[in-house]
Amino acid sequence: MTKIVILTGAGISAESGLGTFRDVDGLWTRYDLNDVATPEGFARDPGLVMEFYNARRRNAAEAAPNPAHLALARLEAALPPGSVRIVTQNVDDLHERAGSRAVWHMHGQLVRARCAACGADWAAPPVMRAEDPCPACGAPATRPDIVWFGEMPYHMEEIWEALRAADLFVAIGTSGSVYPAAAFVQDASRAGAETLELNLEPSETVSDFDRVRHGPASGIVPVWVE
Ligand SMILES: CC(C)NC(=O)[C@H](Cc1c[nH]c2ccccc12)NC(=O)[C@H](CCCC/N=C(/NCCC(=O)O)S[C@H]1O[C@H](COP(=O)(O)OP(=O)(O)OC[C@H]2O[C@@H](n3cnc4c(N)ncnc43)[C@H](O)[C@@H]2O)[C@@H](O)[C@H]1O)NC(=O)OCc1ccccc1
């Protein structure tokens, strides 16, 4: 059974109307990531951070999966169970809303909340406030269930195991500028996997890939899947 690991980034959700980070008018051109995507920024101004993620949660809820998300869900359904694994850096839920099941959110999810005191997590209400009490321990220490810079990504042991067992590694809509995700192509190559980049333009790690196809995800991903 061919094992396929697919890494996705903000580019796959761009055509669903969710801004990317580093493109023209990307999120990091409008917000300082040190203020809104670090534990230090959250400690300094939790209200600003909650506002930032409440707005992104609202945008994601109003967005819809595009043909790239739908094609990946079709691929998973067409192959034997366990053949396709999506590892996404995205915090939106468009993969699941497209029908994908085998999805690891290595940087967390907008639809989840977490307690900064006891670590419990629960389904996030549309609007969250830092002083909201934790349903498990009662502490007024709510934060978005998002992995910020300087924090350990989720599912790392399972991800590395999947990369070691992969026959094919595909990266879709990611600039290859944030680690450890940007090193996955090398991890997969080292383990003998074939590697393919599907992106609007060459990423920062394009030279690490065996094959590349450049163009909008909603066009090139369905063609690759068919
Ligand atoms: C800035 C960078 C240099 N810094 C890091 O990488 C840091 C530090 C670091 C660690 N190791 C290093 C090694 C070297 C240098 C630095 C480091 N990494 C960390 O802090 C990580 C944690 C990082 C996670 C931060 N949280 C995010 N997101 C959640 C928040 C939120 O979403 O608000 S990162 C965030 O930016 C990342 C990059 O974004 P992309 O998704 O790639 O989006 P981008 O805008 O950059 O690019 C979009 C691409 O799409 C393309 N595109 C656009 N439109 C389309 C289209 N229509 N179709 C197709 N493609 C399209 C564009 O051409 C472009 O190429 C994503 O991961 C995204 O999740 N933690 C950690 O390292 O812990 C310890 C550790 C170490 C080893 C092993 C285990 C643990």
Side-chain angles (χ1 to χ4, degrees):
M1 173 172 78
T2 300
K3 291 234 181 216
I4 306 174
V5 174
I6 301 171
L7 174 69
T8 64
I12 199 170
S13 295
E15 294 162 87
S16 294
L18 301 185
T20 65
F21 294 89
R22 288 169 180 73
D23 294 317
V24 180
D25 79 347
L27 281 169
W28 298 153
T29 64
R30 288 181 279 130
Y31 295 89
D32 180 337
L33 70 84
N34 297 300
D35 292 341
V36 295
T38 64
E40 298 77 17
F42 185 64
R44 266 197 314 272
D45 187 346
L48 172 72
V49 174
M50 286 306 213
E51 201 186 293
F52 174 68
Y53 286 103
N54 287 341
R56 291 183 58 197
R57 189 173 307 106
R58 192 172 47 248
N59 295 344
E62 290 160 1
N66 65 56
H69 299 104
L70 297 166
L72 295 185
R74 279 199 308 278
L75 179 70
E76 183 184 346
L79 295 177
S83 306
V84 175
R85 164 57 63 180
I86 294 176
V87 177
T88 188
Q89 300 167 83
N90 299 343
V91 294
D92 65 59
D93 59 347
L94 296 180
H95 282 303
E96 289 87 350
R97 285 161 53 195
S100 288
R101 292 286 156 270
V103 182
W104 285 327
H105 287 264
M106 71 179 292
H107 292 163
Q109 301 181 66
L110 290 166
V111 295
R112 304 291 301 171
R114 181 148 59 87
C115 176
C118 75
D121 68 295
W122 61 95
V127 175
M128 288 167 57
R129 295 168 314 144
E131 59 274 17
D132 293 346
C134 165
C137 73
T142 292
R143 58 164 284 175
D145 190 15
I146 303 280
V147 176
W148 288 324
F149 288 92
E151 296 185 320
M152 174 65 100
Y154 292 153
H155 306 289
M156 286 310 298
E157 290 313 318
E158 299 135 303
I159 292 171
W160 277 320
E161 194 182 327
L163 291 169
R164 278 192 293 273
D167 302 297
L168 174 60
F169 173 81
V170 184
I172 304 175
T174 185
S175 59
S177 56
V178 170
Y179 291 78
F184 290 170
V185 58
Q186 290 175 359
D187 300 329
S189 265
R190 213 176 294 120
E194 194 200 334
T195 59
L196 169 65
E197 171 173 289
L198 300 176
N199 210 48
L200 189 63
E201 62 206 353
S203 74
E204 292 182 19
T205 54
V206 67
S207 57
D208 295 330
F209 287 85
D210 301 317
R211 289 183 300 128
V212 302
R213 286 207 198 139
H214 294 136
S218 70
I220 62 176
V221 175
V223 169
W224 168 67
V225 165
E226 289 343 308

